[in-house]
Amino acid sequence: MPVLKKIVVRDFRNIELQELDFSPNVNCISGNNGEGKTNLLDAIYYLSMTKSAFPAPDKYNFRYGTDGFTVGGTYAMENGLESRFSIQVKEGEKKLVRDEKPYTRLGEHIGVLPVVMVSPGDGALVSDSGEERRRLANAVLSQMDAEYLAAVQGYTRLLAQRNKMLKEYQAEASFLDVLDQKMAPLAAKIYENRRQFALDLQPVVTEYYRLISGGGETVSIEYKSDLASASLTDIFAAHRERDFSLRYTSSGVQRDDFLFTMDGHPIRRAGSQGQQKSFLVALKFAQYEIMKRSYGFAPILLLDDVFDKLDLGRISNLISMVAGADFGQIFITDTDRARLSGIVDHITQDRAYYVAQNGTFSRVE
């Protein structure tokens, strides 16, 4: 089970240079909004996933006035040895190194340092388009299955070629036939993994939601995909004339979605703010549970302002759930230091506290 022992962050958002040692158990970061708590958690996420937890170009992660950033971490690995990882982003180029040896492809790293992040930005999973929900599925499945990641990358690359041909009126039928045949097995892999992911999520999300909310409502997850009724080649063939007219690919797994419902109605319409927050926390904890089963150990868990919008009863249920399960290394942020310490001190004495102020983190007792 990888455990982050030390991190060095340079020029990442508002963090100029910080070197921090962490507890292998629970790490608590408090401070006002805008001081850098989320930035530190996202730096940890970036080192695991080679990208931010938030959908934005890398240039927005550069500290003001700089043209890049570096994040490095020392991890205790499951083999009992330590490994050092470092990722540098500069001028649009990413360089990733493990123990002084560069990776040949960034994709080789995905899943080596499994991570789950829960943040207020998760609200987009309920309110925004299917793209956010596909991003979640990809983030989970890519960490657990390298073949899935390769399928998504391959499909995305071929889809871009197909759309370019359609847009520039260069899409001859024979060329499209070749592309469609190449994309079909990749789409089938993506579809099957996502279908199984939704099936695996359903009972775990239901149980976590019950524990967090105290029961009452019934929540459900349904996977929607064009491939549920036909193969990709048949789907593309049926929509070819429409694609020629629209000048882009109008069907396929890039349009997949996951429907979240409460008592049979879309959560974004039927659920209160507190119910939506409870569902999103349950969803992310279910993601965590599924990854833990797959790996045989707990991923690193990043909890960013999870107590926001949850009443005290739901917070107590959440923390009891954390305390009673086989969790690994956890990072928690909150604006209320007293609330944070009051909760965590009842869970474990193996914890570390930090206060964030303007991108600087001070360890406190």
Side-chain angles (χ1 to χ4, degrees):
M1 178 174 67
V3 172
L4 179 57
K5 299 180 67 176
K6 177 185 291 187
I7 196 168
V8 179
V9 184
R10 183 188 295 274
D11 294 333
F12 188 82
R13 306 227 184 106
N14 75 331
I15 304 174
E16 181 176 3
L17 177 62
Q18 288 289 284
E19 181 174 336
L20 300 168
D21 296 309
F22 294 123
S23 163
N25 196 358
V26 180
N27 297 274
C28 306
I29 303 102
S30 60
N32 295 327
N33 291 325
E35 299 293 351
K37 303 187 305 296
T38 300
N39 296 344
L40 178 60
L41 264 58
D42 198 30
I44 297 170
Y45 185 93
Y46 204 112
L47 194 53
S48 288
M49 297 296 293
T50 72
K51 62 182 178 181
S52 169
F54 308 103
D58 269 325
K59 65 181 180 180
Y60 293 109
N61 295 319
F62 301 167
R63 190 172 64 85
Y64 182 76
T66 67
D67 61 356
F69 65 85
T70 303
V71 180
T74 301
Y75 289 77
M77 306 301 288
E78 58 269 24
N79 58 10
L81 302 176
E82 287 188 359
S83 278
R84 294 184 300 278
F85 299 85
S86 177
I87 188 164
Q88 181 184 57
V89 181
K90 191 168 186 177
E91 298 175 352
E93 184 180 3
K94 294 183 185 181
K95 295 181 179 179
L96 179 62
V97 174
R98 177 177 184 176
D99 294 329
E100 314 303 327
K101 183 179 179 181
Y103 281 88
T104 54
R105 293 183 300 106
L106 293 179
E108 297 174 3
H109 177 67
I110 306 303
V112 173
L113 305 172
V115 65
V116 173
M117 185 164 181
V118 185
S119 79
D122 294 335
L125 290 167
V126 168
S127 60
D128 286 1
S129 68
E131 181 179 0
E132 289 298 317
R133 292 178 283 279
R134 289 191 297 274
R135 285 183 77 244
L136 171 66
N138 288 344
V140 180
L141 296 172
S142 294
Q143 291 187 78
M144 297 191 297
D145 187 345
E147 292 182 1
Y148 176 87
L149 175 60
V152 170
Q153 292 173 333
Y155 183 91
T156 302
R157 183 175 61 253
L158 293 170
L159 178 65
Q161 292 180 24
R162 195 178 197 273
N163 284 337
K164 183 178 180 182
M165 291 169 64
L166 289 166
K167 183 177 181 180
E168 297 177 355
Y169 295 106
Q170 296 176 347
E172 296 183 12
S174 59
F175 289 160
L176 287 181
D177 287 341
V178 172
L179 278 179
D180 295 356
Q181 290 293 334
K182 289 182 177 179
M183 295 171 73
L186 302 176
K189 169 69 176 175
I190 294 167
Y191 167 76
E192 182 53 37
N193 280 47
R194 288 177 177 174
R195 186 190 68 81
Q196 188 61 51
F197 176 55
L199 292 175
D200 292 342
L201 269 180
Q202 176 62 57
V204 189
V205 169
T206 298
E207 178 62 12
Y208 273 128
Y209 185 83
R210 184 187 65 80
L211 289 170
I212 295 170
S213 68
E217 314 87 23
T218 300
V219 295
S220 180
I221 298 172
E222 183 182 357
Y223 174 44
K224 312 286 283 187
S225 177
D226 291 336
L227 269 72
S229 57
S231 69
L232 188 76
T233 50
D234 289 343
I235 292 168
F236 278 177
H239 294 100
R240 182 164 290 185
E241 290 305 316
R242 184 171 72 178
D243 290 353
F244 275 125
S245 176
L246 295 173
R247 296 169 62 188
Y248 67 85
T249 306
S250 60
S251 56
V253 293
Q254 76 279 8
R255 296 172 57 84
D256 286 357
D257 203 351
F258 296 83
L259 180 62
F260 301 149
T261 61
M262 177 177 291
D263 293 334
H265 303 286
I267 287 180
R268 67 176 180 272
R269 297 197 189 102
S272 67
Q273 191 177 53
Q275 288 171 329
Q276 290 184 21
K277 179 73 173 183
S278 295
F279 173 79
L280 289 167
V281 172
L283 178 67
K284 285 303 191 81
F285 273 66
Q287 167 194 342
Y288 181 91
E289 181 67 28
I290 288 171
M291 290 176 65
K292 185 169 67 172
R293 292 176 187 174
S294 175
Y295 280 100
F297 58 78
I300 291 175
L301 182 60
L302 309 175
L303 303 176
D304 187 27
D305 284 337
V306 291
F307 307 140
D308 183 42
K309 299 186 181 71
L310 291 180
D311 60 40
L312 289 177
R314 293 177 195 240
I315 289 175
S316 297
N317 287 343
L318 175 63
I319 297 306
S320 297
M321 193 166 58
V322 172
D326 181 23
F327 278 68
Q329 191 177 28
I330 303 175
F331 294 81
I332 310 176
T333 71
D334 194 18
T335 54
D336 189 335
R337 164 70 196 278
R339 174 173 62 182
L340 193 55
S341 59
I343 292 170
V344 172
D345 286 352
H346 285 91
I347 301 174
T348 178
Q349 292 302 306
D350 186 2
R351 73 281 189 273
Y353 287 100
Y354 304 84
V355 174
Q357 186 172 19
N358 195 27
T360 299
F361 302 85
S362 304
R363 186 161 181 169
V364 295
E365 295 302 323

